[in-house]
Amino acid sequence: MLEFFNMVLHIDKTLGVWVAQYGVWVYLVLFLIVFAETGLVVLPFLPGDSLLFIAGAFGATGHIDPILMSILLIIAAVTGNTLNYAIGRYIGPRVFSMNLRFLDRGALMRTHAFYEKHGGKTIVMSRFIPVVRTFAPFVAGVADMSLARFQLFNILGALIWVISLVAAGYFFGNIPLVREHLNTIVLLGLAAAIVPVVGAAVIKLVRSRRA
């Protein structure tokens, strides 16, 4: 099991081996990895961005059908988030209905209000931020975000996330310079996704304090 997780975490080096060994079953493996990362809050460390990028690169070589793979991974991302949301919605009310001192009911109400106002943007943008994309749908469920609103942005976010990264891997993933510095590129992409979010939060905080 530990060896399998090690292979998953180093997907850039092992996907070629999986394609050679498992053939069409590799589609199921990729599906389950994306589903687990987005659907289970205990597995936020699984690779998402790098997996999509590398899978796109293999799609360009003809070893994987990029269209079929993209469709399956979009389904995995949508259903994974849906499961995570359902778990949060099931657990949330039970936890916060308990009379426990360390639970802040006011915080739950504020979270609910935040998701009603900004939940859509949060669900879409979180797709590009590791760890956050695993917890965002769970928190949306806890905050009792409406299912229809959640699914709208869940599907939109999955489409943008999968298509953009698979396409990037398809067109640029087999360039030697890109493959050699994949980890650096992923980190730069992560920074590009996080900086605007943090910047917007800081600006909003400063404005609220001035007001």
Side-chain angles (χ1 to χ4, degrees), residues 30-115:
L30 296 178
F31 180 96
L32 292 176
I33 292 174
V34 171
F35 177 83
E37 191 216 6
T38 57
L40 303 175
V41 292
V42 296
L43 297 175
F45 55 84
L46 292 178
D49 302 320
S50 57
L51 181 148
L52 296 178
F53 187 88
I54 291 297
F58 273 89
T61 65
H63 291 92
I64 296 177
D65 183 339
I67 303 298
L68 174 61
M69 176 187 60
S70 296
I71 293 173
L72 290 174
L73 295 185
I74 288 170
I75 294 173
V78 170
T79 54
N81 260 22
T82 301
L83 172 63
N84 215 338
Y85 167 87
I87 294 172
R89 193 158 188 174
Y90 177 78
I91 293 176
R94 291 172 176 267
V95 172
F96 282 89
S97 64
M98 297 178 183
N99 188 22
L100 300 175
R101 293 182 179 180
F102 60 86
L103 292 178
D104 188 343
R105 297 174 187 273
L108 176 60
M109 297 306 297
R110 289 192 295 271
T111 303
H112 172 76
F114 176 84
Y115 265 88

